[in-house]
Amino acid sequence: MSTPAIASPALAERATAVLMDTYAQRPLALRSGQGVHVTDIDGRELIDLVAGIAVNILGHNHPALVRAVADQAATLIHTSNLYYTEPQLDLAELLIASAFPSRVFFCNSGAEANEAAIKIARKWGRMHRDGAHVIICAQGAFHGRTLGALAATANPRYREPFEPLPKGFVHVPYNDVGAFEAAIDGDTCAVMLEPIEGESGVVPLEPGKLTEIRRLCDERDVLLILDEIQTGMGRTGRWWAHQHEQAVPDVMTVAKSLGGGVPIGAVLAAPRADVFEPGDHGSTFGGGPLACAAAVAVMRTVEREGLVAHAAEAGDYLAESLSALRDRGAPIAGVRGRGLMLGIGLTSDIARDVAAAALDAGLIINAIGTRTLRVVPPLIITRDEIDEALARLGTAFDAVAAAAREDGA
Ligand code: PLP
């Protein structure tokens, strides 16, 4: 397919000259956003179903978030963690109230949150399990790009160029509780997994499996670490995806949408796993007043606007609408996921072509691998906006089919 001609080529040239080649950037340069819409530098409006990769839960330019950031920037931006600040404590209290009895460590990203969780598990193993240090992770897992988080990540494409990685991580099939059970031995300190695997194509744990894994961790006396970096903050229709089952983790990691676009991450540890002491861990920027004020505004707005329940309803509507699109002949094999975290399985290897054609049609959607489109929109998305987004997706499917016919002719 042709590349959509919607970004200034001059920007792409400048980027090639000065930015490391780490991202396969799309031919799209964004200038502004409003709600679920973004506008590119040529003034074209697009519907954003990616939301900065499951980050902008309040959409773009939400007045509550803009005001909180502006007010805090005009008051106090950074202090270090040598002193107390109110936004940090407000945020910790809100997080704990939304999740489970715990205490919080703040950092700046998902990978950093997982690094902290790994250190907690290692220290806990040293204190309570005779130096046990191995973490059982899942095949398909994605936990971030720093060396510890990468060691917990499964994908060889991400791992191999940087080996040797830290030792002490084992990967077992995601939905196979028996495999987790078999892998736990005297060296194991924790099981670590995502309630829905996001980066490997929106693959959910089957119903009941998280409860079984929680029970297993209790029986074998190891920690359960849940990475809710992508699933959290209401996206699946509960504040945290584990709340669909009564499977409370010992350690939970949070980032992405916590700050609504302002970088921040957090780790929650239940009393059993609350092992850090002064000097064990730290971050210059983590939990700074600017990011915490943003996250407080995000959490209060999610609550005030009822966005957790809305994510469940809007997600059901989106999934039904996708099924209807399939029934009308779109190349959709099935829809996976929960709430507003959905993966659209395609009937052939056209995900990248569809995502590219979608940009032409005014829609931002994310291709994962060759056969999955990921939909993680702002939680504020309305039914009308879903209708319009799927009309544009239909146009993209038609364009890809037409191009395939032309190629075949
Ligand atoms: N964990 C999960 C489940 C993720 O989806 C991601 C990012 O996609 C990360 C961790 C890493 O987060 P970050 O990119 O903020 O380091």
Side-chain angles (χ1 to χ4, degrees):
M1 288 209 56
S2 67
T3 305
I6 56 175
S8 159
L11 281 195
E13 270 168 37
R14 282 171 61 193
T16 305
V18 297
L19 300 181
M20 286 193 200
D21 209 6
T22 46
Y23 304 105
Q25 284 183 305
R26 311 295 177 267
L28 175 65
L30 297 173
R31 173 158 289 156
S32 63
Q34 186 63 47
V36 302
H37 296 90
V38 286
T39 303
D40 79 358
I41 58 165
D42 300 322
R44 277 190 82 230
E45 169 271 339
L46 299 99
I47 296 179
D48 183 5
L49 294 188
V50 174
I53 320 185
V55 166
N56 306 98
I57 44 173
L58 301 184
H60 301 275
N61 207 15
H62 192 293
L65 180 55
V66 171
R67 202 178 320 114
V69 170
D71 287 354
Q72 190 60 45
T75 308
L76 187 67
I77 292 180
H78 175 73
T79 59
S80 86
N81 281 296
L82 297 175
Y83 319 102
Y84 301 107
T85 63
E86 279 182 313
Q88 189 181 83
L89 298 174
D90 290 344
L91 180 58
E93 286 163 5
L94 283 170
L95 274 170
I96 294 163
S98 73
F100 52 90
S102 53
R103 293 199 299 175
V104 184
F105 175 83
F106 285 113
C107 52
N108 310 286
S109 69
E112 269 185 69
N114 284 331
E115 293 290 337
I118 291 164
K119 284 178 72 175
I120 287 172
R122 288 259 172 115
K123 183 159 187 212
W124 182 86
R126 186 176 275 259
M127 289 168 66
H128 299 294
R129 264 179 76 84
D130 205 18
H133 62 280
V134 173
I135 301 183
I136 317 281
C137 305
Q139 289 171 8
F142 183 84
H143 295 297
R145 306 285 196 155
T146 50
L147 288 180
L150 191 56
T153 292
N155 191 334
R157 162 73 188 84
Y158 300 152
R159 297 167 56 94
E160 274 165 12
F162 309 102
E163 287 175 344
L165 294 173
K167 291 190 181 14
F169 295 84
V170 171
H171 293 87
V172 301
Y174 182 52
N175 262 300
D176 186 344
V177 180
F180 280 93
E181 183 164 17
I184 296 175
D185 63 19
D187 287 333
T188 309
C189 61
V191 166
M192 177 173 186
L193 76 172
E194 301 153 81
I196 301 173
E197 290 189 336
E199 298 303 303
S200 61
V202 191
V203 180
L205 264 186
E206 289 158 13
K209 291 277 163 80
L210 195 55
T211 308
E212 285 178 47
I213 291 174
R214 171 70 272 181
R215 199 177 307 129
L216 177 65
C217 290
D218 287 339
E219 279 166 16
R220 305 291 293 273
D221 190 28
V222 299
L223 296 181
L224 175 60
I225 303 171
L226 286 186
D227 177 341
E228 292 247 24
I229 286 162
Q230 195 160 149
T231 51
M233 293 293 291
R235 178 160 296 286
T236 71
R238 292 273 202 279
W239 265 108
W240 309 101
H242 70 262
Q243 292 169 339
H244 291 286
E245 296 184 19
Q246 295 312 312
V248 179
D250 301 298
V251 179
M252 177 172 84
T253 55
V254 186
K256 283 203 182 276
S257 53
L258 178 58
V262 177
I264 181 166
V267 186
L268 279 68
R272 175 181 185 223
D274 189 346
V275 292
F276 278 162
E277 294 166 300
D280 277 344
H281 201 51
S283 163
T284 298
F285 291 119
L290 186 68
C292 286
V296 166
V298 171
M299 291 195 80
R300 289 193 177 138
T301 305
V302 167
E303 197 68 60
R304 192 175 57 247
E305 296 189 3
L307 294 180
V308 179
H310 178 73
E313 282 162 33
D316 286 348
Y317 181 70
L318 178 55
E320 283 159 24
S321 306
L322 284 165
S323 298
L325 193 60
R326 180 190 57 194
D327 294 344
R328 291 199 300 277
I332 296 175
V335 178
R336 303 183 294 270
R338 195 156 204 171
L340 286 173
M341 181 172 176
L342 296 180
I344 307 171
L346 302 174
T347 52
S348 60
D349 293 339
I350 54 171
R352 294 215 169 87
D353 289 343
V354 175
L359 289 186
D360 272 344
L363 179 70
I364 301 184
I365 196 164
N366 178 222
I368 302 185
T370 56
R371 276 199 183 207
T372 302
L373 296 170
R374 175 171 47 177
V375 181
V376 280
L379 304 192
I380 55 164
I381 195 166
T382 64
R383 283 184 174 223
D384 285 350
E385 288 162 344
I386 289 172
D387 290 345
E388 177 58 28
L390 293 200
R392 295 180 189 190
L393 181 60
T395 304
F397 281 136
D398 291 346
V400 171
R405 278 197 301 274
E406 256 175 49
D407 285 350

